[in-house]
Amino acid sequence: MTSYEAVIGLEVHAQLKTKSKIFCGCSTEFNAKENENTCPVCTGMPGSLPVLNKKAVEFALKMAMATQCTIHEKSIFARKNYFYPDLPKGYQISQYDKPLAVQGKVGKVRIHRIHMEEDAGKNIHGTVSSYVNLNRAGIPLIEIVSEPDMRSSQEAGEYLRELRSMLRYLDICDGNMEEGSFRCDVNISIRPLTQKEYGTRAEIKNINSFRFVEKAIEYEIERQKEVLESGKRVVQETRLWDSEKNQTFSMRSKEEAHDYRYFPDPDLLPLQIPNTWIEDVKKSIPELGAQKKERFMNQYGLTEYDAGLLVQEKELAQYFEEVVQICQQPKLASNWILSELLRETTATQIAASPISSKHLGELIKLIQKGTISGKIAKTIFEKMWNSGQSPKTIVEKEGLVQVSDENVIRQWVEEVLKNNQKFVDEYRAGRTKLLGFFVGEIMKKSQGKANPATIHEILKKKLDSKGE
Amino acid sequence: MVIKKFMHITKELVEHLAKLALLELTEEEVTRYTRELDSLIGYFEKLNELNTTHIEPTYQVVPEAIVFREDSVQESFKREEWLKVVPQQEEGAIKVPKIIDVG
Amino acid sequence: MIPLYDYSLDELSQKLQKKEVSSVELTQSVLKRIEETKAKLNTFITLTKESALQTAKTVDQKRIKGEVLSPLAGIPIALKDIFLTQGIKTTCCSKILSQFIPPYDSTVVKRLKQNDVVLVGKLNMDEFAMGSSNENSCFGPVKNPWDLERTPGGSSGGSAAAVAASQCLGAFGTDTGGSIRQPASLCGVVGIKPTYGRVSRYGIIAFASSLDQVGPFGKRVKDVAHLLKAVAGRDSMDSTSADMKVPDYTQFLTKDIKGLKIGIAKEYFIKGMEASTEKVVHKAIDHLKKLGAKIIDVSLPHTSYAVPTYYLIATAEASSNLARYDGVKYGYRAKASTLQEMYRKTRGEGFGREVKRRIMLGTFVLSSGYYDAYYKKASQVRTLIKRDFDEAFKHCDLIVTPTSPTTAFKLGEKMEDPLQMYLSDIFTISANLAGLPGLVLPCGFDEKNLPIGLQILGPHFKEEKIFHLAYAYEQSTEWHQRKPTV
């Protein structure tokens, strides 16, 4: 049986987080009434003209630089002509043969090009009519086109997550696939491992989550394999992902070839990017996820896995570093964030967490100093989550300070041993597993406040000094 | 660059163009435009007398570069006002016959 | 006594300022003139009588209060029906927009309002400014005031005819390939197409965006200078509008042109040109010489390629500009049960014959496989045409040419032959391709008593030089004093 390899390229559309649209002053706010955020320009009124939003260009430049693209000193806006109700002018202003930037890299994946364009509106389909809302028409987009450098759904997923992370680190796109601010079309073909040429590809659209991208790719690989193995040919076509049936299906009507009749938009002069602008933007690019991960591993001695988790969101990484700043315990901080905090919330919501980075840092400091036990810390953590109070306040209010006073602990130990003479005998007869039982009982007696190390020390001494 | 000399505009091409431009044409119009476009294009091929191999095309005659707007939200026109010009609308959405062809 | 409407804009501006007449009196005079003559000429699509009189009243009150007003304050003018006027129907003389009431004002209209101009109505034109005879209007052709059986030219035929017939003191039009200058010539009035980028295109229904430019018509050079001054200058809504200072053109109107270098291009005196036109234009050039101008031979070798170049570029842009008229958001929508049917019928029924012809042509020019051979090729030849002028203006200050190879032709004469119609633009379209300013003013009459216009072309943003020459010529000749009898 032939072994196949998938060849995958992705086209990502990212909505830029500008306040106003790309060619007019309308708001880009998401939750407006239907057709509320519109003006003569974005509704394609006769006589209206586009004027380019500088911020949109700046944002696009950031991504171009972050992906190490070559930026064209002069790029051209072109009209892509086709008819659709959500396209008010009958053409989309995009970039065609002279895009903003070309030839970049994200990890192992080469970037073919990045260009700017305007988003279309939205059609809502009823039973006899369709309805058009133009609020989204004119929101700035960048299209990031990769080379066909991915070979599996995992690689595609990794690339996508990396892109999304970059956009979020640059603070130019919120990367929300469900809301459509980050959209992905997949170009995929398969070929026998021994073959050099690419197979015929299908384009998959309408995928609105990372998981579905991976699923759609996996489905498509299997589908194309079946097609080839049954002696048929893969048809070059656009397919849509059906997330309920977990499959792709052909969008037959689209097969009528489009002729977009691209030509330079005479309403917009060439976009010139002077070097000084490039330099300015370069200075504004923050440390991105990949670099941060490296640094976390080197500077804090974290594992690659933990560092990777911590940098997945800029806010989370920032939170982590704030915690470390206070407690000086990177590993503990990482553990507490990854295993405790992220059980309660998500990386994207971290800024809204009731436990501030300062409080978590203080909590870790208290553990470190021995003021509280690790066990008590978990209780305090829970109380912090529910109340938003500082760990000190909780510790003081509830008297949860760890008891390390040997005299007090010795008393608890003696009481427990006295009440469990039978087990003491068994222990001394060699059933040393019972040690844990005694520790537990003493802890209980101390209401969790006893210092476990001290318990251990005293308990061992008592049990091992026979007949005292 | 291959210059197609003596291009003949056929009825089929005219019908294809009408489809691209979404114009419903009568049989009479198709015949007329075939004839007229053929004659016009024939005349326009006069440009092939000129060798333009190394000539940069001119798309705009304004010498300056693009002018920007700052990213600030401007008050747009009142939705109620412009919805008056919409042929059919429902609760602020533009109503059109059901879109069947996706694309 | 001379009726008020028969004075020039500048004369009336002074009368208003001296309070010899009121704007209401003037507006009433003009409205009466319109009523008497509009049926014969078919110039007006929409009359805005009430708002005109209201504005006139307001301006008069302002003047009484002693407010400082624009020289145009209280002056009745009219607009080609291509300028968006908020709340006033704007049709572009197309069925597809025949009921369209714009929700916003074009920048030109805003500026005219700031100048307290009295808008009396919207003027007939070729549908979407496509035509050279004003016969492509869904409201029927405009008649030339000098001979009602003849065309006023196009596409701003209504604007030129209305000014010639004193239905308004000035008018605005648009010029994509000669649409101001050719009708100005055929109707015996003054019209200027400024440099591309001089006047904002925002709110003006686009035909071919890289060629379209707004300009005024008037009875006198000075009238036109006033009108252009009022609307010119950078507009933040049009990023192709030039960020350059607008001089007060009226300050350049002197009669002394000694030493001014006038270029004459032999390519503008061609076979097929009417003998009377050629004779009259040569006489005008001789006259300029007598006034002290230096006449210099220049060459514009690519002139004969301008018509194909223009029609390839203009139709390509138009095919895209007119895609928005699809029945979805505004304008005519045909009854249909599917979206595709709605699109095709709306556009098939909504556009007239010439517009559809140009959409088809432009769609072809841009379509896959033909783009390089037609659209790109034409854009390259455009470079050559532009270079011709750059070179010529190294040797002269201005270039003087005929405007149209013929005087006003009979209505219907060229309607069945689009190529012949297109060739009548031969002297005007190069200025659009190169983005140059060009003014036309009357320079004589043919044996049928039809006006002939002289075209003055200048370098980019040198309108004031053109006005200077035009004024000197006008003030030393009598042509502008002749009036049609309507």
Side-chain angles (χ1 to χ4, degrees), chain A residues 206-224:
Chain A
N206 200 32
I207 325 177
N208 64 358
S209 83
F210 285 92
R211 204 162 50 87
F212 292 154
V213 170
E214 289 166 349
K215 277 187 163 182
I217 289 173
E218 279 152 25
Y219 174 85
E220 195 57 24
I221 293 173
E222 288 310 310
R223 186 191 69 86
Q224 292 189 13

Side-chain angles (χ1 to χ4, degrees), chain C residues 111 119 127 137 149 187 208 220 321 354 381 393 469 475:
Chain C
R111 292 189 178 172
L119 175 66
E127 181 180 5
S137 163
E149 286 179 6
C187 291
R220 300 282 185 277
N321 280 336
E354 178 65 24
V381 178
F393 283 124
L469 178 66
Q475 294 302 309

Side-chain angles (χ1 to χ4, degrees), chain A residues 97-110:
Chain A
D97 54 358
K98 288 208 180 98
L100 183 77
V102 292
Q103 292 175 334
K105 220 167 181 189
V106 171
K108 285 180 291 182
V109 179
R110 288 168 304 153

Side-chain angles (χ1 to χ4, degrees), chain A residues 184-186 203-221 238-251:
Chain A
C184 174
D185 299 336
V186 177
E203 185 182 12
I204 316 168
K205 288 181 178 265
N206 200 32
I207 325 177
N208 64 358
S209 83
F210 285 92
R211 204 162 50 87
F212 292 154
V213 170
E214 289 166 349
K215 277 187 163 182
I217 289 173
E218 279 152 25
Y219 174 85
E220 195 57 24
I221 293 173
T238 302
R239 301 179 68 85
L240 296 180
W241 170 250
D242 183 332
S243 57
E244 275 166 32
K245 293 186 186 147
N246 274 327
Q247 61 185 46
T248 65
F249 64 95
S250 177
M251 204 170 121

